[in-house]
Each structure stands twice: as C-alpha cells, then as structure tokens.
Amino acid sequence: MKLINKIGIFDSGLGGLTVLKKLKKRFPEQPFIYLGDLAYLPYGSKSDKTIIERSKKITDFFISNNVTAIVVACNSASSVALDALRALYNIPIIGVINPSIALATQTTKTKTIGVIGTQTTIASKSYDESLITSFRNENHHYKLISVACPLFVPLVEEGWEQTDITYSIAYKYCKDFESYSDLDTLILGCTHYPILIQTLKKVLNDYGHTNLSFIECGDAVADKIQDWV
C-alpha cells in the first residue's frame, strides 16, 4: 500500500467522525487529519455562499498542514462546494455523493433507492444528478426517493439519537417511504445519520421495510480512495 502524505477530512461537526472511523479501519497505516467545523454547525441550514467560504478556509488550513488529498465528508458541502474546491486547488478532492450513489446502485436489487439528507443536500438534487450522470448513456430505470430530515443533525449533536423524541421525528420523516414496498436500499446522506442507525432501523421496520441495506458515506468513500493509498 502506497501512503500519500496525509488525507484531510472535514464536516460541520461530529458526523464526519463516522467517515474517519471507516477509513481508519480500512487503511490503518494511512495518516488522517480531521476537522469538525463546530462554529458553523450545521451546514445544512446555511447558504451556499457560506458553505463554500467555510470549505475554502478549511482547505487552506489543510494545505498549510501538509495535507495532499481531501475528503469532503459533509453531504451539504459536497452538494454545493465540491466543484468550487476542485477548480481552485490542485490536489485530489472527493465528496461523498458520487461514491454513495455508486455503492447504492451496486447494492440494490429492486432499483428503488431512498436517500435521507439535510435540507441543503436534498434541495440541491445532487443525488439525483449523480444518478443521472452515472448512467448518462444507459437506460438504468433506477428510482430515487429523497427525503429531507433537517432535525437529525442537531439531535445527534445533542446526544439524543435513541430518545423517544428522535423516534417520533424519524417516524414522521420516514413516512414518505411507506408506500414504496420495493424500497431495498437507503443512502444515509449525511455523516451524522449512521449514529441514528438503530432508531432508523426500528422506524423503517415499523413501515414494513425489514431488509433494507443502509449505505454509509464512510464505506462508499473508502471504496473510492483505494487508488489514493
């Protein structure tokens, strides 16, 4: 395994640690540096301009600390800032959206995929665009059902992931999936959401989805950075 100097990973808070954990497990000898931008948490409710400005500042910080590749672990930042970063910086920069779509399409058997994310991520339609781009020259017939879950990030940051209030909120959000009996794969389109996995499994089981495959950003990114390390 060839180690690059250092990989920087950033998110708006604790959620990106779920990505770091997956990458450390897959690449135990690879150096990483993690930054959670708690001062601007959550990105999902911020303007595109603010997210891009923060992403640039973090990238400059990483480069000043000898980082030579970056994972934009935040889905909101991946949605609105990734292209801007790639245009400005001459180092490998990867987001979480394309890798998550790639893993989801490899996983699903029914071709019906759900995605939950922040308001910014879902409103950007980045997952829809990634799916279309991935199969531009093919008649793929995938169905993507997107649901915004804006309260999940603050609930996780408060440590309320397994409380009754979180279950009630998740139950309301996930009702949109109830009518899709063929749903078999769900993308956790925010790095905070794996922390809610037990609550999500319980809620979706109540809606009849008992055998869902959950796509976590960390697993998807690990598949994609294999060539880096």
Side-chain angles (χ1 to χ4, degrees), residues 122-155:
I122 299 303
S124 74
K125 295 191 178 299
S126 295
Y127 276 96
D128 305 77
E129 292 171 6
S130 177
L131 184 61
I132 292 169
T133 302
S134 298
F135 296 93
R136 189 178 299 280
N137 299 317
E138 301 176 37
N139 191 10
H140 59 79
H141 297 301
Y142 286 98
K143 184 189 302 179
L144 189 67
I145 307 104
S146 302
V147 177
C149 304
L151 294 177
F152 279 173
V153 171
L155 287 169

Tab-separated table of all heavy atoms in Angstrom, residues 122-155:
chain	number	residue	atom	x	y	z
A	122	ILE	N	-30.766	17.737	-0.015
A	122	ILE	CA	-31.924	17.267	-0.774
A	122	ILE	C	-32.368	18.321	-1.780
A	122	ILE	O	-32.675	18.015	-2.942
A	122	ILE	CB	-33.082	16.884	0.169
A	122	ILE	CG1	-32.648	15.747	1.106
A	122	ILE	CG2	-34.311	16.477	-0.633
A	122	ILE	CD1	-32.167	14.491	0.420
A	123	ALA	N	-32.391	19.602	-1.362
A	123	ALA	CA	-32.822	20.677	-2.260
A	123	ALA	C	-31.885	20.842	-3.451
A	123	ALA	O	-32.313	21.228	-4.545
A	123	ALA	CB	-32.930	21.998	-1.496
A	124	SER	N	-30.613	20.515	-3.270
A	124	SER	CA	-29.639	20.655	-4.355
A	124	SER	C	-29.841	19.619	-5.461
A	124	SER	O	-29.332	19.782	-6.573
A	124	SER	CB	-28.213	20.499	-3.806
A	124	SER	OG	-27.938	19.135	-3.490
A	125	LYS	N	-30.556	18.550	-5.142
A	125	LYS	CA	-30.783	17.429	-6.073
A	125	LYS	C	-29.468	16.807	-6.557
A	125	LYS	O	-29.380	16.249	-7.652
A	125	LYS	CB	-31.631	17.873	-7.271
A	125	LYS	CG	-33.053	18.282	-6.876
A	125	LYS	CD	-33.935	18.462	-8.077
A	125	LYS	CE	-35.357	18.825	-7.665
A	125	LYS	NZ	-36.004	17.783	-6.845
A	126	SER	N	-28.445	16.907	-5.719
A	126	SER	CA	-27.136	16.379	-6.097
A	126	SER	C	-27.153	14.868	-6.274
A	126	SER	O	-26.462	14.329	-7.150
A	126	SER	CB	-26.091	16.758	-5.044
A	126	SER	OG	-25.915	18.151	-4.999
A	127	TYR	N	-27.929	14.171	-5.451
A	127	TYR	CA	-28.006	12.720	-5.604
A	127	TYR	C	-28.722	12.349	-6.898
A	127	TYR	O	-28.318	11.411	-7.599
A	127	TYR	CB	-28.702	12.089	-4.394
A	127	TYR	CG	-27.762	11.850	-3.239
A	127	TYR	CD1	-27.654	12.769	-2.200
A	127	TYR	CD2	-26.954	10.720	-3.196
A	127	TYR	CE1	-26.779	12.561	-1.144
A	127	TYR	CE2	-26.073	10.499	-2.152
A	127	TYR	CZ	-25.991	11.425	-1.126
A	127	TYR	OH	-25.100	11.216	-0.090
A	128	ASP	N	-29.776	13.081	-7.217
A	128	ASP	CA	-30.482	12.830	-8.481
A	128	ASP	C	-29.551	13.060	-9.670
A	128	ASP	O	-29.517	12.253	-10.610
A	128	ASP	CB	-31.699	13.757	-8.600
A	128	ASP	CG	-32.643	13.650	-7.423
A	128	ASP	OD1	-32.320	14.205	-6.364
A	128	ASP	OD2	-33.685	13.004	-7.561
A	129	GLU	N	-28.803	14.168	-9.628
A	129	GLU	CA	-27.894	14.493	-10.723
A	129	GLU	C	-26.770	13.469	-10.830
A	129	GLU	O	-26.354	13.099	-11.931
A	129	GLU	CB	-27.326	15.898	-10.512
A	129	GLU	CG	-28.368	16.995	-10.668
A	129	GLU	CD	-27.850	18.349	-10.248
A	129	GLU	OE1	-26.648	18.447	-9.941
A	129	GLU	OE2	-28.646	19.305	-10.221
A	130	SER	N	-26.281	13.001	-9.677
A	130	SER	CA	-25.227	11.986	-9.696
A	130	SER	C	-25.721	10.696	-10.332
A	130	SER	O	-25.007	10.060	-11.120
A	130	SER	CB	-24.744	11.712	-8.272
A	130	SER	OG	-23.766	10.690	-8.256
A	131	LEU	N	-26.954	10.317	-10.011
A	131	LEU	CA	-27.529	9.107	-10.588
A	131	LEU	C	-27.671	9.239	-12.095
A	131	LEU	O	-27.320	8.324	-12.856
A	131	LEU	CB	-28.887	8.825	-9.949
A	131	LEU	CG	-29.603	7.535	-10.370
A	131	LEU	CD1	-28.770	6.310	-10.024
A	131	LEU	CD2	-30.974	7.458	-9.707
A	132	ILE	N	-28.157	10.386	-12.546
A	132	ILE	CA	-28.325	10.620	-13.984
A	132	ILE	C	-26.978	10.602	-14.693
A	132	ILE	O	-26.808	9.975	-15.738
A	132	ILE	CB	-29.045	11.962	-14.225
A	132	ILE	CG1	-30.494	11.876	-13.740
A	132	ILE	CG2	-29.003	12.341	-15.701
A	132	ILE	CD1	-31.201	13.214	-13.682
A	133	THR	N	-25.985	11.284	-14.105
A	133	THR	CA	-24.657	11.356	-14.713
A	133	THR	C	-23.991	9.986	-14.779
A	133	THR	O	-23.332	9.642	-15.768
A	133	THR	CB	-23.763	12.330	-13.924
A	133	THR	OG1	-24.380	13.617	-13.895
A	133	THR	CG2	-22.385	12.443	-14.557
A	134	SER	N	-24.179	9.197	-13.734
A	134	SER	CA	-23.542	7.874	-13.682
A	134	SER	C	-24.038	6.952	-14.780
A	134	SER	O	-23.317	6.056	-15.227
A	134	SER	CB	-23.807	7.231	-12.310
A	134	SER	OG	-23.258	7.992	-11.265
A	135	PHE	N	-25.290	7.169	-15.221
A	135	PHE	CA	-25.879	6.289	-16.224
A	135	PHE	C	-26.340	7.091	-17.443
A	135	PHE	O	-27.366	6.796	-18.044
A	135	PHE	CB	-27.064	5.525	-15.618
A	135	PHE	CG	-26.657	4.608	-14.501
A	135	PHE	CD1	-26.688	5.041	-13.187
A	135	PHE	CD2	-26.223	3.318	-14.765
A	135	PHE	CE1	-26.307	4.194	-12.149
A	135	PHE	CE2	-25.840	2.464	-13.742
A	135	PHE	CZ	-25.885	2.909	-12.426
A	136	ARG	N	-25.549	8.092	-17.793
A	136	ARG	CA	-25.936	9.002	-18.871
A	136	ARG	C	-26.202	8.271	-20.180
A	136	ARG	O	-27.103	8.636	-20.945
A	136	ARG	CB	-24.841	10.056	-19.088
A	136	ARG	CG	-25.252	11.168	-20.037
A	136	ARG	CD	-24.149	12.204	-20.177
A	136	ARG	NE	-23.823	12.830	-18.924
A	136	ARG	CZ	-24.529	13.815	-18.376
A	136	ARG	NH1	-25.615	14.255	-18.965
A	136	ARG	NH2	-24.147	14.343	-17.226
A	137	ASN	N	-25.430	7.247	-20.450
A	137	ASN	CA	-25.558	6.543	-21.721
A	137	ASN	C	-26.294	5.211	-21.589
A	137	ASN	O	-26.224	4.362	-22.470
A	137	ASN	CB	-24.169	6.308	-22.329
A	137	ASN	CG	-23.462	7.612	-22.615
A	137	ASN	OD1	-24.064	8.557	-23.123
A	137	ASN	ND2	-22.177	7.676	-22.289
A	138	GLU	N	-26.993	5.048	-20.469
A	138	GLU	CA	-27.703	3.793	-20.240
A	138	GLU	C	-29.146	4.074	-19.817
A	138	GLU	O	-29.445	5.106	-19.229
A	138	GLU	CB	-27.019	2.974	-19.132
A	138	GLU	CG	-25.565	2.633	-19.425
A	138	GLU	CD	-24.918	1.911	-18.260
A	138	GLU	OE1	-25.608	1.095	-17.615
A	138	GLU	OE2	-23.735	2.184	-17.981
A	139	ASN	N	-30.016	3.140	-20.111
A	139	ASN	CA	-31.407	3.221	-19.664
A	139	ASN	C	-31.502	2.465	-18.347
A	139	ASN	O	-31.794	1.273	-18.309
A	139	ASN	CB	-32.331	2.598	-20.715
A	139	ASN	CG	-33.789	2.879	-20.433
A	139	ASN	OD1	-34.121	3.690	-19.574
A	139	ASN	ND2	-34.671	2.199	-21.145
A	140	HIS	N	-31.250	3.167	-17.233
A	140	HIS	CA	-30.990	2.480	-15.970
A	140	HIS	C	-32.254	2.111	-15.185
A	140	HIS	O	-32.253	1.141	-14.453
A	140	HIS	CB	-30.079	3.337	-15.086
A	140	HIS	CG	-30.623	4.686	-14.746
A	140	HIS	ND1	-31.567	4.880	-13.781
A	140	HIS	CD2	-30.338	5.915	-15.239
A	140	HIS	CE1	-31.849	6.158	-13.680
A	140	HIS	NE2	-31.135	6.816	-14.565
A	141	HIS	N	-33.311	2.887	-15.277
A	141	HIS	CA	-34.578	2.591	-14.597
A	141	HIS	C	-34.476	2.590	-13.073
A	141	HIS	O	-35.269	1.934	-12.402
A	141	HIS	CB	-35.148	1.238	-15.057
A	141	HIS	CG	-35.488	1.213	-16.509
A	141	HIS	ND1	-36.395	2.072	-17.089
A	141	HIS	CD2	-35.021	0.427	-17.512
A	141	HIS	CE1	-36.500	1.814	-18.372
A	141	HIS	NE2	-35.669	0.839	-18.671
A	142	TYR	N	-33.510	3.308	-12.498
A	142	TYR	CA	-33.454	3.420	-11.043
A	142	TYR	C	-34.475	4.452	-10.574
A	142	TYR	O	-34.725	5.462	-11.240
A	142	TYR	CB	-32.062	3.850	-10.569
A	142	TYR	CG	-31.032	2.763	-10.667
A	142	TYR	CD1	-30.162	2.710	-11.751
A	142	TYR	CD2	-30.920	1.794	-9.676
A	142	TYR	CE1	-29.204	1.715	-11.847
A	142	TYR	CE2	-29.967	0.796	-9.762
A	142	TYR	CZ	-29.115	0.763	-10.856
A	142	TYR	OH	-28.178	-0.233	-10.947
A	143	LYS	N	-35.057	4.205	-9.413
A	143	LYS	CA	-35.982	5.146	-8.786
A	143	LYS	C	-35.323	5.657	-7.507
A	143	LYS	O	-34.847	4.867	-6.685
A	143	LYS	CB	-37.300	4.447	-8.456
A	143	LYS	CG	-38.382	5.366	-7.872
A	143	LYS	CD	-39.565	4.551	-7.365
A	143	LYS	CE	-40.167	3.696	-8.453
A	143	LYS	NZ	-41.306	2.875	-7.944
A	144	LEU	N	-35.284	6.982	-7.352
A	144	LEU	CA	-34.654	7.587	-6.182
A	144	LEU	C	-35.694	8.409	-5.432
A	144	LEU	O	-36.288	9.332	-5.991
A	144	LEU	CB	-33.484	8.480	-6.608
A	144	LEU	CG	-32.587	9.018	-5.491
A	144	LEU	CD1	-31.823	7.870	-4.827
A	144	LEU	CD2	-31.601	10.051	-6.039
A	145	ILE	N	-35.929	8.053	-4.163
A	145	ILE	CA	-36.879	8.780	-3.320
A	145	ILE	C	-36.085	9.548	-2.281
A	145	ILE	O	-35.390	8.953	-1.448
A	145	ILE	CB	-37.875	7.830	-2.624
A	145	ILE	CG1	-38.563	6.927	-3.628
A	145	ILE	CG2	-38.898	8.617	-1.825
A	145	ILE	CD1	-38.042	5.515	-3.637
A	146	SER	N	-36.181	10.879	-2.325
A	146	SER	CA	-35.368	11.736	-1.451
A	146	SER	C	-36.223	12.383	-0.368
A	146	SER	O	-37.304	12.913	-0.658
A	146	SER	CB	-34.683	12.826	-2.284
A	146	SER	OG	-33.865	12.263	-3.297
A	147	VAL	N	-35.731	12.371	0.863
A	147	VAL	CA	-36.462	12.944	1.988
A	147	VAL	C	-35.511	13.800	2.828
A	147	VAL	O	-34.454	13.329	3.253
A	147	VAL	CB	-37.077	11.836	2.881
A	147	VAL	CG1	-37.766	12.454	4.097
A	147	VAL	CG2	-38.059	10.988	2.079
A	148	ALA	N	-35.885	15.057	3.037
A	148	ALA	CA	-35.092	15.953	3.891
A	148	ALA	C	-35.417	15.700	5.358
A	148	ALA	O	-36.581	15.578	5.728
A	148	ALA	CB	-35.382	17.406	3.532
A	149	CYS	N	-34.376	15.618	6.176
A	149	CYS	CA	-34.540	15.351	7.614
A	149	CYS	C	-33.719	16.379	8.405
A	149	CYS	O	-32.706	16.040	9.032
A	149	CYS	CB	-34.066	13.939	7.939
A	149	CYS	SG	-34.859	12.622	6.983
A	150	PRO	N	-34.119	17.645	8.381
A	150	PRO	CA	-33.278	18.715	8.926
A	150	PRO	C	-33.019	18.659	10.426
A	150	PRO	O	-32.037	19.228	10.906
A	150	PRO	CB	-34.051	19.989	8.555
A	150	PRO	CG	-35.456	19.542	8.320
A	150	PRO	CD	-35.357	18.161	7.759
A	151	LEU	N	-33.850	17.978	11.194
A	151	LEU	CA	-33.657	17.950	12.643
A	151	LEU	C	-32.686	16.871	13.112
A	151	LEU	O	-32.279	16.875	14.281
A	151	LEU	CB	-35.005	17.761	13.349
A	151	LEU	CG	-36.002	18.915	13.210
A	151	LEU	CD1	-37.313	18.560	13.901
A	151	LEU	CD2	-35.422	20.201	13.789
A	152	PHE	N	-32.305	15.971	12.233
A	152	PHE	CA	-31.462	14.852	12.660
A	152	PHE	C	-30.089	15.312	13.159
A	152	PHE	O	-29.573	14.789	14.147
A	152	PHE	CB	-31.288	13.845	11.533
A	152	PHE	CG	-32.436	12.885	11.369
A	152	PHE	CD1	-32.472	12.007	10.290
A	152	PHE	CD2	-33.479	12.835	12.280
A	152	PHE	CE1	-33.528	11.103	10.141
A	152	PHE	CE2	-34.526	11.953	12.139
A	152	PHE	CZ	-34.550	11.077	11.056
A	153	VAL	N	-29.466	16.271	12.461
A	153	VAL	CA	-28.118	16.698	12.862
A	153	VAL	C	-28.114	17.300	14.266
A	153	VAL	O	-27.318	16.877	15.111
A	153	VAL	CB	-27.515	17.670	11.832
A	153	VAL	CG1	-26.214	18.282	12.379
A	153	VAL	CG2	-27.226	16.942	10.520
A	154	PRO	N	-28.973	18.286	14.565
A	154	PRO	CA	-28.955	18.813	15.948
A	154	PRO	C	-29.293	17.771	16.994
A	154	PRO	O	-28.760	17.817	18.112
A	154	PRO	CB	-30.003	19.943	15.911
A	154	PRO	CG	-30.760	19.782	14.653
A	154	PRO	CD	-29.874	19.072	13.694
A	155	LEU	N	-30.143	16.803	16.670
A	155	LEU	CA	-30.460	15.742	17.627
A	155	LEU	C	-29.222	14.899	17.942
A	155	LEU	O	-28.962	14.556	19.096
A	155	LEU	CB	-31.585	14.859	17.075
A	155	LEU	CG	-32.983	15.483	17.062
A	155	LEU	CD1	-33.943	14.631	16.244
A	155	LEU	CD2	-33.520	15.665	18.480
